[in-house]
Amino acid sequence: MDATRYRAPPADGLAIVPLDDLVAVFHRASGITHLVTSPAPELLDALADRWLTLDDLETEFELVGGDRGSLIAALDELAVAGLLEWR
């Protein structure tokens, strides 16, 4: 069985603006602005127009023995918001 892979829109498909503790993410394709906190902007940047698995993301963010459940929850929230696709 293949591992689940995740991908965000290309960087030019999003406008990301820091607002103190929040970050506004305007998704050009949908015309919707989302307010998010870390690690959402970092995940969107890492996944910009490329497919990565959970293992890839753990390596990218140097998560050693980290909480995979928290990473999955963050990815799920981005997918529900329409900012991420998975397969």
Side-chain angles (χ1 to χ4, degrees):
M1 179 176 191
D2 291 330
T4 301
R5 296 181 296 156
Y6 302 86
R7 179 176 72 174
D12 63 356
L14 302 173
I16 299 176
V17 180
L19 306 168
D20 293 324
D21 293 338
L22 296 174
V23 176
V25 179
F26 176 68
H27 185 229
R28 287 184 168 88
S30 69
I32 297 173
T33 299
H34 305 270
L35 294 177
V36 299
T37 59
S38 187
E42 295 85 359
L43 287 169
L44 291 171
D45 183 54
L47 291 164
D49 205 27
R50 65 180 181 154
W51 292 100
L52 295 178
T53 64
L54 287 173
D55 289 338
D56 296 332
L57 287 167
E58 286 179 331
T59 300
E60 179 104 8
F61 288 98
E62 299 177 358
L63 301 175
V64 179
D67 182 7
R68 187 171 263 211
S70 293
L71 178 58
I72 292 169
L75 293 167
D76 287 347
E77 288 176 13
L78 289 171
V80 167
L83 295 172
L84 192 73
E85 61 182 304
W86 57 273
R87 63 176 174 180

